[in-house]
Amino acid sequence: MTTETKETGVACGAPAVLVVQHEEDAGPGLVGEHLAGTGLRLDVIRAWEGEALPESLGGHAGLIVLGGSVNCEDDESAPWLPGVRTLVREAVAGEVPLLGICLGGQIVAHALGGSVARRVQGPEVGAVPLRRLPAAEGDPVLGGVPEGAPAAQWHWDEVDRLPAGAVPLLSGDDCPYQAFRVGSVGWALQFHPEADGETVASWAVGDAEHLRAAGVDRETAVGSVREAEPELRAVWGAVSEAWGSVVRAHAGASRGV
């Protein structure tokens, strides 16, 4: 007899992905939906509520680190961050599939020796077209992303120096490191493949004062995501499923299948 998780409705015998969530309104969203749809189980740790991180990735076939508003080095405000960095390093060293999203991608960079800085030009928000870099060709997760594909952006910080050995895959006109690969099966993204228009609209309400201070029109930013949503769902849904395929392959190899 199998049971199901509250998070995904997937049988608990399925390969499990550990998901670190930093705040209430930044969950796995569309990425989680696609991963569950391909038979993976998400074990979500609500770190901001005090749920403890596991000491290791044992029993998990993948690791996702989600986004959030905290700075990736602010261990005082987010005392779970040192534990997240430890898990990121374990994933890369142990070749466990890894996906860092926005803050999560910044944590990946910082944990592995890169650096993150405040954007001097102000926040990047809304739907923004991405540019393929040569290394994207043949990448098992991001290789199918078309040139100029839109991505939902919502960040005040950005990676300004990649870790040693990291491979840049996607760039943008206003942010050089939109996606990069670390190790054999680790990916870090600056954007939000999990977000739809409703998600971004809720962020815009919460960040209204900060957006005004930066001279950003929140309605324009939200509207651009809503307009691009069909393409966002298609492109990043496929990317989510591609990453899920890597996780399932890892899980099968671990079981000797």
Coordinates of all heavy atoms in Angstrom, one line a residue, residues 39-83:
G39 N 5.9 12.2 -12.1 CA 6.1 11.1 -11.1 C 7.1 11.3 -10.0 O 7.4 10.3 -9.3
L40 N 7.5 12.5 -9.8 CA 8.4 12.8 -8.7 C 7.7 13.3 -7.5 O 6.6 13.9 -7.6 CB 9.5 13.9 -9.1 CG 10.4 13.4 -10.2 CD1 11.3 14.6 -10.6 CD2 11.3 12.3 -9.8
R41 N 8.2 13.0 -6.3 CA 7.6 13.5 -5.1 C 8.4 14.6 -4.5 O 9.7 14.6 -4.5 CB 7.6 12.3 -4.1 CG 7.1 12.7 -2.7 CD 6.8 11.4 -1.9 NE 8.0 10.6 -1.7 CZ 8.8 10.7 -0.7 NH1 8.7 11.6 0.2 NH2 9.9 9.8 -0.7
L42 N 7.8 15.7 -4.1 CA 8.5 16.9 -3.5 C 8.3 16.8 -2.0 O 7.2 16.8 -1.4 CB 7.8 18.2 -4.0 CG 7.8 18.4 -5.6 CD1 7.4 19.8 -5.9 CD2 9.1 18.1 -6.2
D43 N 9.5 16.9 -1.3 CA 9.5 17.0 0.1 C 9.9 18.5 0.4 O 11.1 18.8 0.3 CB 10.6 16.1 0.7 CG 10.2 14.6 0.7 OD1 9.0 14.3 0.5 OD2 11.1 13.7 0.8
V44 N 8.9 19.3 0.7 CA 9.1 20.7 0.9 C 9.4 21.0 2.3 O 8.6 20.7 3.2 CB 7.9 21.5 0.4 CG1 8.1 23.0 0.6 CG2 7.5 21.2 -1.1
I45 N 10.5 21.7 2.5 CA 10.9 22.2 3.9 C 10.6 23.7 3.9 O 11.1 24.5 3.2 CB 12.4 22.0 4.1 CG1 12.8 20.5 4.0 CG2 12.8 22.6 5.5 CD1 12.2 19.6 5.0
R46 N 9.6 24.0 4.8 CA 9.2 25.4 5.0 C 10.2 26.0 6.0 O 9.9 26.2 7.2 CB 7.8 25.5 5.5 CG 6.8 24.9 4.5 CD 5.4 24.7 5.1 NE 4.4 24.2 4.1 CZ 4.3 23.0 3.8 NH1 5.0 22.0 4.4 NH2 3.4 22.6 2.9
A47 N 11.3 26.5 5.5 CA 12.4 26.9 6.4 C 12.0 28.1 7.2 O 12.4 28.2 8.4 CB 13.7 27.2 5.6
W48 N 11.3 29.0 6.6 CA 10.9 30.3 7.3 C 10.0 30.0 8.5 O 9.9 30.8 9.4 CB 10.3 31.3 6.4 CG 8.8 31.0 6.1 CD1 7.8 31.7 6.7 CD2 8.2 30.1 5.2 NE1 6.6 31.2 6.2 CE2 6.8 30.2 5.3 CE3 8.7 29.2 4.3 CZ2 5.9 29.5 4.6 CZ3 7.8 28.4 3.6 CH2 6.5 28.6 3.7
E49 N 9.3 28.8 8.5 CA 8.5 28.4 9.6 C 9.2 27.7 10.7 O 8.6 27.2 11.7 CB 7.3 27.6 9.1 CG 6.3 28.4 8.3 CD 5.0 27.6 8.0 OE1 5.1 26.4 8.1 OE2 4.0 28.2 7.6
G50 N 10.5 27.5 10.5 CA 11.3 26.8 11.5 C 11.4 25.3 11.2 O 12.0 24.6 12.1
E51 N 10.9 24.8 10.1 CA 11.1 23.4 9.8 C 12.6 23.1 9.5 O 13.3 23.8 8.8 CB 10.3 23.0 8.6 CG 8.8 23.0 8.8 CD 8.0 22.5 7.7 OE1 8.5 22.1 6.6 OE2 6.7 22.4 7.8
A52 N 13.1 22.1 10.1 CA 14.6 21.8 10.0 C 14.9 21.1 8.7 O 14.2 20.3 8.2 CB 15.0 20.9 11.2
L53 N 16.1 21.6 8.2 CA 16.7 20.9 7.0 C 17.3 19.6 7.5 O 17.8 19.4 8.6 CB 17.8 21.8 6.4 CG 17.4 23.1 5.8 CD1 18.6 23.9 5.5 CD2 16.6 22.9 4.6
P54 N 17.2 18.6 6.6 CA 18.0 17.4 6.9 C 19.5 17.6 6.9 O 19.9 18.6 6.3 CB 17.6 16.4 5.7 CG 17.2 17.3 4.6 CD 16.6 18.5 5.2
E55 N 20.2 16.8 7.6 CA 21.7 17.0 7.7 C 22.3 16.6 6.4 O 23.5 17.1 6.1 CB 22.2 16.2 8.8 CG 21.8 16.7 10.2 CD 22.5 16.0 11.3 OE1 23.3 15.1 11.1 OE2 22.2 16.3 12.5
S56 N 21.7 15.8 5.6 CA 22.3 15.4 4.3 C 21.1 15.1 3.3 O 19.9 15.1 3.7 CB 23.1 14.1 4.5 OG 22.3 13.0 4.6
L57 N 21.5 14.8 2.1 CA 20.5 14.5 1.0 C 20.2 13.0 1.0 O 19.5 12.6 0.0 CB 21.1 15.0 -0.3 CG 21.2 16.5 -0.5 CD1 21.9 16.8 -1.8 CD2 19.8 17.2 -0.5
G58 N 20.6 12.3 1.9 CA 20.3 10.8 1.9 C 18.8 10.6 1.7 O 18.0 11.2 2.4
G59 N 18.5 9.7 0.8 CA 17.1 9.4 0.5 C 16.4 10.3 -0.5 O 15.3 10.1 -0.9
H60 N 17.1 11.4 -1.0 CA 16.6 12.3 -2.0 C 17.4 12.2 -3.3 O 18.6 12.1 -3.3 CB 16.6 13.7 -1.5 CG 15.7 14.0 -0.4 ND1 16.0 14.0 1.0 CD2 14.3 14.2 -0.4 CE1 15.0 14.2 1.7 NE2 13.9 14.4 0.9
A61 N 16.6 12.2 -4.4 CA 17.2 12.1 -5.7 C 17.5 13.4 -6.3 O 18.0 13.5 -7.5 CB 16.3 11.2 -6.6
G62 N 17.2 14.5 -5.7 CA 17.4 15.8 -6.2 C 17.2 16.9 -5.2 O 16.6 16.6 -4.1
L63 N 17.7 18.1 -5.5 CA 17.6 19.2 -4.5 C 17.1 20.5 -5.3 O 17.8 20.8 -6.3 CB 18.9 19.5 -3.8 CG 19.0 20.8 -3.0 CD1 18.0 20.8 -1.8 CD2 20.4 21.0 -2.6
I64 N 16.1 21.1 -4.9 CA 15.7 22.4 -5.4 C 15.8 23.5 -4.3 O 15.3 23.2 -3.2 CB 14.2 22.4 -5.9 CG1 14.1 21.4 -7.1 CG2 13.8 23.8 -6.4 CD1 12.7 21.3 -7.7
V65 N 16.4 24.6 -4.6 CA 16.4 25.7 -3.7 C 15.7 26.9 -4.3 O 16.1 27.4 -5.4 CB 17.9 26.1 -3.3 CG1 17.9 27.2 -2.3 CG2 18.7 24.9 -2.8
L66 N 14.6 27.3 -3.7 CA 13.7 28.3 -4.3 C 14.1 29.7 -4.0 O 15.2 29.9 -3.4 CB 12.3 28.0 -3.7 CG 11.6 26.7 -4.1 CD1 10.3 26.5 -3.3 CD2 11.4 26.6 -5.6
G67 N 13.3 30.6 -4.5 CA 13.6 32.1 -4.4 C 13.1 32.6 -3.1 O 12.4 32.0 -2.3
G68 N 13.4 33.9 -2.9 CA 13.0 34.6 -1.7 C 13.6 36.0 -1.6 O 14.5 36.3 -2.4
S69 N 13.2 36.8 -0.7 CA 13.6 38.2 -0.7 C 14.9 38.4 0.2 O 15.5 39.5 0.1 CB 12.5 39.1 -0.1 OG 12.1 38.6 1.2
V70 N 15.3 37.4 1.0 CA 16.4 37.6 1.8 C 17.7 37.6 1.0 O 17.8 37.0 -0.1 CB 16.5 36.5 2.9 CG1 16.8 35.1 2.2 CG2 17.5 36.8 4.0
N71 N 18.7 38.3 1.4 CA 20.0 38.2 0.8 C 20.7 36.9 1.0 O 20.5 36.3 2.1 CB 20.9 39.4 1.3 CG 22.3 39.4 0.6 OD1 23.2 38.6 1.0 ND2 22.5 40.1 -0.4
C72 N 21.4 36.3 0.1 CA 21.9 35.0 0.2 C 23.0 34.8 1.3 O 23.3 33.7 1.7 CB 22.5 34.5 -1.1 SG 24.0 35.3 -1.6
E73 N 23.5 36.0 1.8 CA 24.5 35.9 2.9 C 23.9 36.3 4.2 O 24.7 36.4 5.2 CB 25.7 36.8 2.5 CG 26.4 36.4 1.2 CD 27.5 37.4 0.9 OE1 28.5 37.5 1.7 OE2 27.5 38.0 -0.2
D74 N 22.6 36.6 4.3 CA 22.0 37.1 5.5 C 21.6 36.0 6.4 O 20.5 35.7 6.6 CB 20.8 38.0 5.2 CG 20.4 38.8 6.4 OD1 20.9 38.6 7.5 OD2 19.4 39.6 6.2
D75 N 22.6 35.4 7.1 CA 22.4 34.2 7.9 C 21.6 34.7 9.2 O 21.0 33.8 9.9 CB 23.7 33.6 8.3 CG 24.4 33.0 7.1 OD1 23.9 33.0 6.0 OD2 25.5 32.5 7.3
E76 N 21.7 35.9 9.6 CA 21.0 36.4 10.8 C 19.5 36.4 10.5 O 18.7 35.9 11.4 CB 21.5 37.8 11.2 CG 20.8 38.3 12.4 CD 21.4 39.6 12.9 OE1 22.4 40.1 12.3 OE2 20.8 40.2 13.8
S77 N 19.1 36.9 9.4 CA 17.6 36.9 9.1 C 17.1 35.5 8.7 O 16.0 35.2 8.9 CB 17.4 37.9 7.9 OG 17.7 39.2 8.3
A78 N 18.0 34.7 8.1 CA 17.6 33.4 7.6 C 18.6 32.4 8.1 O 19.5 32.0 7.4 CB 17.5 33.4 6.1
P79 N 18.5 32.0 9.4 CA 19.5 31.2 10.0 C 19.6 29.8 9.4 O 20.6 29.0 9.8 CB 19.1 31.1 11.5 CG 17.6 31.4 11.5 CD 17.4 32.4 10.4
W80 N 18.8 29.4 8.5 CA 18.9 28.1 7.8 C 19.8 28.1 6.6 O 20.2 27.1 6.1 CB 17.5 27.6 7.4 CG 16.8 28.6 6.4 CD1 16.9 28.6 5.0 CD2 15.9 29.7 6.7 NE1 16.2 29.6 4.5 CE2 15.6 30.3 5.5 CE3 15.4 30.2 7.9 CZ2 14.7 31.4 5.5 CZ3 14.6 31.3 7.9 CH2 14.2 31.9 6.7
L81 N 20.3 29.3 6.2 CA 21.1 29.4 5.0 C 22.4 28.6 5.1 O 22.8 28.0 4.1 CB 21.4 30.9 4.7 CG 20.2 31.7 4.2 CD1 20.7 33.1 3.9 CD2 19.7 31.1 2.9
P82 N 23.1 28.6 6.2 CA 24.3 27.7 6.2 C 24.0 26.3 5.9 O 24.8 25.6 5.2 CB 24.9 27.9 7.7 CG 24.4 29.3 8.1 CD 23.0 29.4 7.4
G83 N 22.9 25.8 6.4 CA 22.5 24.4 6.1 C 22.2 24.2 4.7 O 22.5 23.1 4.1

